[in-house]
């Protein structure tokens, strides 16, 4: 009887990729090595990522006390500014995090880097052969001390900065994009607001234009600081960006705080990474442009759906737009808490894929997805109860409050979907699966835009939120499909 050839596994021996969603679920809250690494990256990242949305929430609450027209005007301006910012910087931040994590992992694994590390950590003890090494030939500073009666020379090595080309590239691109965004928004404020549905005779136009122009002055600092945050995330350091964003305080003086954040991050980054490129080839702009273009397609699709929903709400009048602004800012601020898990998943997975460590990649994907679902369920309960009572912090207008009460169930119920969608993004970015992320999101956006137009025209405010719920469901499904079918970089799950 011939022996069975096990070179290729039979279908019965193939693993089901869906197991990744339930893998080691009993370890969900365990503070083992993986749990600690996720917490160390995710918690500071979540706090830093929500700093700007919380600042927008504070603006919303403060201006909402003035009146619904001003509240609606700020809502349109924030939606427009966020659209431009995400299109300009999100692709750069995402690819930077993955590239830096990969380059840092490869650098640490190289023999040269390991030798340098050993020299930095160790001390050279030269007792009997001291005379063989003249003092004037040593490049290191030497200090002589007495240890147990023996004369000891200790060589002190300066900390060597890491060579990470993607860090230099990210800063150059981020600075240029920031200047372009500021010029674009300031010079085109009125026509852009008209496009958003705020016409020349609208009472929202003047306050919206003033807010957008002022906010745009900080665009160069915003994009530069976000580019540096992408570098720190790739280095798995999310505490430094958190310390820098702490200068926001109560979100007073957006522009000044953003420039302070950029200065702090640049100072700290220069201590760790050599940012002076030896040549243009070192910067690897081609790699950034290739993957950045894919993510540019994706982020345009993502943000256009949200911006379109704000535009459709603005066309229904100040009351509808004011209520939509409150619901949207709460929706975004809480949902972005899951982005901390996405950042952790992306950084850890990029390092794991660089090492070809698929077991660690599987465990990481499982843990962050499970934590994302739990976080979404907790946020759903908190918002379902809290927003009903907290809406008066944003406005006293009874008509606006009525519409907020209608939108609250949607804001709460979509939290698990939002959390999973954000975490799936981080997981797929960590696998450098940028092409699938881009093309799938474009298809999701096309369908969602059609739904937005249909439901907003037939059901108004509630129709917009139904459409956004469908949109987030499709985003989560797209992320689930790639991993659940074990295709692309996740084909190892089938083996």
């Amino acid at each position: 009887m011939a022996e069975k050839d096990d070179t290729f596994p039979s279908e019965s021996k193939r693993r089901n990729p869906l197991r990744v969603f339930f893998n080691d679920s009993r370890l969900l809250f365990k503070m083992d090595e993986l749990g600690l690494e996720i917490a160390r990256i995710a918690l500071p990242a979540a706090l830093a990522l929500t700093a700007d949305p919380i600042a927008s929430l504070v603006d919303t609450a403060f201006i909402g006390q003035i009146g619904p027209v001003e509240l609606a005007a700020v809502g349109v301006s924030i939606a427009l500014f966020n659209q431009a910012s995400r299109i300009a910087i999100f692709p750069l931040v995402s690819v930077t995090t993955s590239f830096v994590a990969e380059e840092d992992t490869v650098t640490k694994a190289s023999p040269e880097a390991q030798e340098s590390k050993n020299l930095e950590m160790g001390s050279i003890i030269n007792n009997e052969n001291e005379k063989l090494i003249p003092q004037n030939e040593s490049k290191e500073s030497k200090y002589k001390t007495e240890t147990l009666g023996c004369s000891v020379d200790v060589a002190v090595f300066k900390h060597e900065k890491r060579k990470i080309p993607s860090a230099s590239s990210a800063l150059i691109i981020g600075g240029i994009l920031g200047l372009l965004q500021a010029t674009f928004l300031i010079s085109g404020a009125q026509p852009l607001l008209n496009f958003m549905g705020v016409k020349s005779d609208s009472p929202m136009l003047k306050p919206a234009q003033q807010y957008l122009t002022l906010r745009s002055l900080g665009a160069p600092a915003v994009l530069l600081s976000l580019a540096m945050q992408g570098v720190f995330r790739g280095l798995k350091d999310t505490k430094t960006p958190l310390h820098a964003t702490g200068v926001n305080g109560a979100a007073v003086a957006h522009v000044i705080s953003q420039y302070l954040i950029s200065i702090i991050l640049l100072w700290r980054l220069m201590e760790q990474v050599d940012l002076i490129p030896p040549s243009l080839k070192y910067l690897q702009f081609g790699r950034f442009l290739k993957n950045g273009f894919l993510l540019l397609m994706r982020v345009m699709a993502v943000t256009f759906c949200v911006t379109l929903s704000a535009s459709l709400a603005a066309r229904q009048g100040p009351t509808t737009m004011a209520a939509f602004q409150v619901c949207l800012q709460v929706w975004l601020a809480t949902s972005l808490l899951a982005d901390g898990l996405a950042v952790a998943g992306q950084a850890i997975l990029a390092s794991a894929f660089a090492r070809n460590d698929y077991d660690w990649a599987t465990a990481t994907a499982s843990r962050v997805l499970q934590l994302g679902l739990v976080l979404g369920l907790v946020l759903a309960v908190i918002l379902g109860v809290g927003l009903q009572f907290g809406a008066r912090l944003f406005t006293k207008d009874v008509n606006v409050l009525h519409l907020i009460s209608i939108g609250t169930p949607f804001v709460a119920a979509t939290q698990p979907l939002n959390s999973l969608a954000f975490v799936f993004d981080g997981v797929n970015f960590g696998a450098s699966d940028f092409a699938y992320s881009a093309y799938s999101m474009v298809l999701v956006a096309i369908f969602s835009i059609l739904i937005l137009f249909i439901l907003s025209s037939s059901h108004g405010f509630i129709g917009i939120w139904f459409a956004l719920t469908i949109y987030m469901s499709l985003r989560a499904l797209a992320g689930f499909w790639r991993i659940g079918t074990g295709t692309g970089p996740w084909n190892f799950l089938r083996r």
Side-chain angles (χ1 to χ4, degrees), residues 271-330:
E271 291 180 341
Q272 301 182 41
V273 178
D274 186 359
L275 297 176
I276 307 300
S279 65
L280 288 177
K281 187 177 180 181
Y282 174 85
L283 295 173
Q284 303 178 27
F285 282 132
R287 189 184 183 203
F288 269 86
L289 292 175
K290 176 185 176 182
N291 293 284
F293 178 74
L294 289 171
L295 286 185
L296 177 62
M297 292 170 51
R298 185 184 187 283
V299 76
M300 289 179 68
V302 169
T303 56
F304 187 76
C305 288
V306 177
T307 306
L308 176 62
S309 65
S311 175
L312 293 172
R315 294 171 192 275
Q316 296 179 18
T319 300
T320 301
M321 184 59 216
F324 184 80
Q325 162 66 4
V326 172
C327 291
L328 182 67
Q329 289 306 313
V330 172

Side-chain angles (χ1 to χ4, degrees), residues 118-119 121-133 140-157:
N118 291 338
L119 288 174
M121 294 178 61
S123 62
I124 301 175
I125 300 178
N126 183 8
N127 191 8
E128 296 181 354
N129 299 325
E130 180 181 358
K131 295 181 181 180
L132 298 177
I133 307 177
E140 296 83 25
S141 300
K142 287 181 174 290
Y143 298 90
K144 184 170 288 187
T145 184
E146 294 291 332
T147 305
L148 299 178
C150 299
S151 179
V152 177
D153 282 339
V154 180
V156 180
F157 293 84

Side-chain angles (χ1 to χ4, degrees), residues 434-455:
F434 300 121
Y436 173 80
S437 297
Y439 298 138
S440 63
M441 191 61 238
V442 169
L443 292 176
V444 166
I446 292 172
F447 185 77
S448 300
I449 289 168
L450 293 175
I451 295 296
L452 265 169
F453 278 117
I454 294 171
L455 293 182

Side-chain angles (χ1 to χ4, degrees), residues 176-188:
I176 294 173
L177 290 176
L179 292 172
L180 292 175
Q181 180 186 330
T183 303
F184 174 71
L185 290 178
I186 294 173
S187 60

Side-chain angles (χ1 to χ4, degrees), residues 68-69 71-73 75-76 204 309-328 395 397-407 456 459-465:
V69 172
L71 178 57
V76 176
M204 293 186 284
S309 65
S311 175
L312 293 172
R315 294 171 192 275
Q316 296 179 18
T319 300
T320 301
M321 184 59 216
F324 184 80
Q325 162 66 4
V326 172
C327 291
L328 182 67
T395 181
D397 188 284
V398 292
N399 295 320
V400 176
L401 288 171
H402 173 67
L403 285 178
I404 292 175
S405 67
I406 293 175
S456 65
H459 293 83
F461 179 79
I462 196 171
I464 294 174
W465 279 105

Side-chain angles (χ1 to χ4, degrees), residues 6-186:
D6 287 331
T7 303
F8 298 97
S10 63
E11 289 298 323
S12 61
K13 288 186 177 182
R14 286 183 178 272
R15 295 182 179 182
N16 186 350
L18 292 174
R19 67 186 173 82
V20 72
F21 301 110
F22 311 99
N23 187 47
D24 292 331
S25 57
R26 67 185 185 282
L27 304 177
L28 180 60
F29 299 111
K30 185 176 181 181
M31 286 291 100
D32 53 7
E33 181 183 357
L34 178 58
L36 289 172
E37 186 170 19
I38 291 174
R40 180 177 61 82
I41 300 173
L43 291 177
L47 293 175
L49 285 164
T50 54
D52 194 63
I54 289 175
S56 296
L57 265 180
V58 173
D59 286 349
T60 300
F62 178 76
I63 296 172
Q65 304 304 315
I66 301 175
V69 172
E70 289 76 13
L71 178 57
V74 169
V76 176
S77 299
I78 290 176
L80 191 54
F81 181 85
N82 289 344
Q83 163 83 352
S85 295
R86 289 182 68 83
I87 287 176
I89 200 63
F90 183 82
L92 177 61
V93 172
S94 297
V95 297
T96 297
T97 299
S98 293
F99 291 172
V100 170
E102 293 170 5
E103 291 171 5
D104 191 40
T105 300
V106 172
T107 301
K108 289 178 180 177
S110 66
E112 295 83 0
Q114 190 61 44
E115 181 182 357
S116 176
K117 182 179 179 181
N118 291 338
L119 288 174
E120 290 176 12
M121 294 178 61
S123 62
I124 301 175
I125 300 178
N126 183 8
N127 191 8
E128 296 181 354
N129 299 325
E130 180 181 358
K131 295 181 181 180
L132 298 177
I133 307 177
Q135 289 284 345
N136 58 357
E137 292 182 8
S138 176
K139 294 182 179 179
E140 296 83 25
S141 300
K142 287 181 174 290
Y143 298 90
K144 184 170 288 187
T145 184
E146 294 291 332
T147 305
L148 299 178
C150 299
S151 179
V152 177
D153 282 339
V154 180
V156 180
F157 293 84
K158 293 184 179 179
H159 173 70
E160 185 176 346
K161 295 181 181 179
R162 282 174 273 194
K163 305 288 185 180
I164 300 178
S166 297
S168 305
S169 305
L171 265 62
I172 295 173
I173 298 173
I176 294 173
L177 290 176
L179 292 172
L180 292 175
Q181 180 186 330
T183 303
F184 174 71
L185 290 178
I186 294 173

